[in-house]
Amino acid sequence: MKRFLKPSDIGDLSQALKEAAEVKNNPYGHQHLGKNKTIVLIFFNSSLRTRLSTQKAATNLGMNVIVLDINKDGWQLETEFGVVMDGDKPEHIREAVPVIGQYCDIIAVRSFAKFENKEEDYSENILNQFIEFSGRPVISMESATRHPLQSFADLVTIEEHRSVARPKVVLTWAPHPKALPQAVPNSFVEWMKEADVDLTVTHPEGYELAPEFMEGVKVEYDQKKAFEGADFIYAKSWASFSEYGKVLSTDRNWTVDEEKMALTNNAKFMHCLPVRRNMIVSDGVIDSPNSIVIQEAANRVVSAQTVLKRMLESL
Ligand code: SN0
């Protein structure tokens, strides 16, 4: 595997789920694969779970890990092309990327949407620099448009907690004080479409996700109707795509609470975290036994380790 950005990169999902279960049962069984192999994790943005779980996954496989928070510890990188570099950014990404490639066997990158320009974000200009010029396999640790390690972990979690063969999975928008990227919902939809689940997306008008992700996906604008009979409620806030990067609503009628969860088929509650309590979800729901957000976070090690194992096998 040369890159991990979307479900097609990992191939057949039922096979990937089987492999993930094996990795979870036997986390130290493939340490020979990572011997004398190095991964660099580069962060352009903050992280808790992604940083710790990817590092843990790599060390479980016997790899050496280098973590770089580029904004704090590296030179500020210029990412525009053809500019006169007379400002405060001493290094260009065009040199930095191939240099980083010299020091490792695999690169993982986190680079969020900047919300300055839709075309620029959706062209994945930073991630693509790593793919084109690092000379190494690349893993997305959340780019402008996708968060595949999260979605793969979500799929593993749904597989572990489902009580029916084909669960009803509802992705619901929820209010948040800030403009958040569409990466998590885009990826979630992309993975659930490929999985054996019945997916419904619910959000207020104006929060439609990019058409390239939503083709053939059910949208229900009435959140309560969407919740009826659901087996999994997956909450997430995101900024508008059509009015790119705007917060059009902070309506707390969209907060996931006990009353709405009562409409479901005793649904499990999921969120990628970090979560704003009593904006996205009420304390009562996230603290209830139906909340599986911690199990979901634990599976971040499993998804990262399954992906890394595949990459190491194909080095
Ligand atoms: C990120 C996002 O894409 O929504 C990362 C989620 C894995 N979340 C945030 O940036 C939350 C920031 C906040 O202020 O709550």
Side-chain angles (χ1 to χ4, degrees):
M1 197 186 348
K2 289 281 168 251
R3 65 192 63 160
F4 181 67
L5 318 176
K6 47 178 125 167
S8 56
D9 293 325
I10 202 156
D12 180 57
L13 286 191
S14 52
Q15 177 56 34
L17 280 171
K18 219 176 117 219
E19 224 170 295
E22 282 161 17
V23 160
K24 191 163 181 170
N25 281 332
N26 183 19
Y28 310 114
H30 299 91
Q31 295 216 326
H32 58 284
L33 286 174
K35 188 171 174 356
N36 295 333
K37 299 286 187 250
T38 299
I39 184 168
V40 169
L41 314 183
I42 309 237
F43 290 92
F44 287 83
N45 313 92
S46 309
S47 172
L48 173 72
R49 277 149 295 279
T50 299
R51 176 176 174 148
L52 296 181
S53 63
T54 311
Q55 188 158 356
K56 173 71 174 139
T59 48
N60 284 355
L61 288 164
M63 298 186 82
N64 304 312
V65 184
I66 302 172
V67 182
L68 180 62
D69 186 335
I70 199 123
N71 295 321
K72 280 200 208 118
D73 303 326
W75 300 109
Q76 286 288 310
L77 292 189
E78 179 58 66
T79 55
E80 300 287 320
F81 285 84
V83 291
V84 177
M85 288 173 61
D86 60 355
D88 56 358
K89 294 176 180 159
E91 178 142 28
H92 202 281
I93 193 166
R94 187 64 188 81
E95 284 77 52
V97 165
V99 166
I100 292 162
Q102 302 301 305
Y103 306 142
C104 62
D105 303 280
I106 296 174
I107 303 183
V109 187
R110 163 161 286 193
S111 165
F112 287 179
K114 291 189 182 135
F115 284 139
E116 285 160 11
N117 179 315
K118 186 197 270 194
E119 283 68 41
E120 206 174 292
D121 283 346
Y122 272 70
S123 75
E124 294 285 12
N125 57 338
I126 303 220
L127 184 68
N128 284 333
Q129 286 291 310
F130 284 89
I131 291 169
E132 259 184 74
F133 298 115
S134 72
R136 303 292 173 210
V138 172
I139 298 176
S140 161
M141 297 191 294
E142 187 171 343
S143 67
T145 66
R146 289 181 171 92
H147 193 0
L149 288 173
Q150 180 65 51
S151 305
F152 186 16
D154 295 335
L155 180 62
V156 170
T157 310
I158 288 170
E159 175 68 12
E160 287 173 348
H161 290 269
R162 69 183 164 84
S163 54
V164 294
R166 190 177 162 81
K168 176 173 177 182
V169 175
V170 176
L171 166 65
T172 180
W173 178 90
H176 194 286
K178 280 174 33 189
L180 296 190
Q182 291 122 18
V184 170
N186 284 346
S187 265
F188 187 75
V189 165
E190 187 172 49
W191 283 72
M192 289 305 128
K193 274 202 307 204
E194 297 297 317
D196 199 10
V197 305
D198 172 17
L199 175 68
T200 299
V201 180
T202 182
H203 55 70
E205 302 262 354
Y207 278 99
E208 291 76 14
L209 291 164
E212 65 197 85
F213 289 95
M214 290 302 288
E215 212 185 290
V217 176
K218 257 181 280 174
V219 177
E220 170 55 68
Y221 289 94
D222 181 338
Q223 192 194 30
K224 288 191 174 157
K225 226 165 156 188
F227 272 43
E228 281 168 16
D231 298 292
F232 292 89
I233 297 296
Y234 192 98
K236 183 72 187 84
S237 189
W238 63 85
S240 173
F241 177 74
S242 55
E243 292 191 55
Y244 193 63
K246 287 213 175 115
V247 174
L248 306 177
S249 164
T250 50
D251 183 358
R252 288 181 53 210
N253 284 318
W254 279 81
T255 301
V256 177
D257 61 13
E258 292 90 323
E259 201 185 308
K260 285 177 207 158
M261 288 301 280
L263 301 168
T264 69
N265 180 30
N266 196 26
K268 303 289 186 210
F269 174 79
M270 298 177 71
H271 188 280
C272 63
L273 307 180
V275 70
R276 305 274 190 137
R277 280 171 175 253
N278 304 310
M279 284 294 296
I280 303 277
V281 58
S282 68
D283 286 332
V285 170
I286 196 165
D287 292 331
S288 79
N290 281 26
S291 168
I292 52 172
V293 295
I294 307 302
Q295 294 92 321
E296 183 183 357
N299 280 332
R300 294 294 307 277
V301 178
V302 179
S303 65
Q305 195 170 333
T306 307
V307 168
L308 279 173
K309 177 174 165 283
R310 286 264 189 108
M311 272 191 178
L312 288 169
E313 282 165 348
S314 63
L315 275 184

